[in-house]
Amino acid sequence: MPQETPAPSAAIQQSQAQPPARSSDTQMWQVLAHASAFVQVVGIPSLVGPLVIWLIKRDDPAVEPHARAALNFQLSLLIYFLVGGILGVIFAITVIGLVVAIPIFIFLFVLIILELIFALMASLAASRGELYDYPLSMNLIKA
């Protein structure tokens, strides 16, 4: 009669099925890469936080994609604000352009709100170990 090999215990099967746990330090840096955009609330441009984290942690393969995604999003927003602001001012100078300038300025205000919402969503995704794909983001800094 052939002998049956014992089945692996449930604890061994479960540990093999789950990905390895991230260190709390790595998770903190991942979340901070996205949440650092909130420095704009105290008057520091929102680009500064993700840029600093990307410069510090660009050699860390677990943190760098998060910092790069946040930095690309902030650079994209900077471009949108510059172009929108310049167009808004140009249109506001002309009387007929005022009809176009007002929606541009409303869009820029909505963009500020969306920036905060997307940064919060990205921070929450990073806390779960997921990389957030920012809407409206251009891929300016490549891996």
Side-chain angles (χ1 to χ4, degrees), residues 34 36-40 44-47 50 70 73-75 77-78 81 108-122 134 136:
H34 301 286
S36 63
F38 287 105
V39 298
Q40 74 177 347
I44 299 171
S46 57
L47 176 71
F73 179 62
Q74 294 303 325
L75 285 170
L77 288 179
L78 179 64
F81 284 123
L108 292 177
F109 177 73
V110 169
L111 204 55
I112 293 170
I113 307 280
L114 288 175
E115 175 185 15
L116 297 173
I117 291 170
F118 293 152
L120 177 63
M121 291 172 63
Y134 284 96
L136 307 172

Side-chain angles (χ1 to χ4, degrees), residues 18-89:
Q18 294 178 352
R22 298 180 300 153
S23 72
S24 62
D25 186 51
T26 299
Q27 182 178 13
M28 179 204 61
W29 281 105
Q30 290 173 340
V31 171
L32 196 57
H34 301 286
S36 63
F38 287 105
V39 298
Q40 74 177 347
V41 176
V42 295
I44 299 171
S46 57
L47 176 71
V48 172
L51 176 62
V52 168
I53 298 209
W54 183 74
L55 289 172
I56 292 172
K57 292 298 212 175
R58 68 178 148 185
D59 294 330
D60 186 339
V63 177
E64 191 275 337
H66 291 269
R68 183 173 17 95
L71 184 57
N72 277 329
F73 179 62
Q74 294 303 325
L75 285 170
S76 300
L77 288 179
L78 179 64
I79 292 169
Y80 299 147
F81 284 123
L82 287 175
V83 170
I86 290 170
L87 288 176
V89 168

